[in-house]
Amino acid sequence: MTTSSAGGPVLPPRRPRLSVDELIEAVVARPIRTAADLDEMAVDIFESDEELDEFLAYTYAERRRDVA
């Protein structure tokens, strides 16, 4: 962490807090009304089915890690 000449940490400038409506307007978001809407937004996050399977297995294991 970087420190200032006064010895305290250098913090990033504060961003103004926006309301949910302002955030939605800023990204031109629209509500999801149908499954077709989801299909239009689909992107390939994982490069392969194997990569997706590894992620799901990891997530499943982590969620149950502390369950006795």
Side-chain angles (χ1 to χ4, degrees), residues 43-57:
V43 294
D44 290 330
I45 296 171
F46 300 99
E47 293 182 12
S48 66
D49 289 345
E50 291 78 19
E51 188 178 2
L52 171 61
D53 290 342
E54 289 174 15
F55 171 77
L56 294 174

Side-chain angles (χ1 to χ4, degrees), residues 5-6 8 18 30-31 33-34 36 42 44 47 49 57-58 63 66-68:
S5 59
L18 301 175
R30 59 185 173 84
R33 299 186 193 282
T34 66
D44 290 330
E47 293 182 12
D49 289 345
Y58 171 80
R63 287 183 175 172
D66 296 329
V67 176

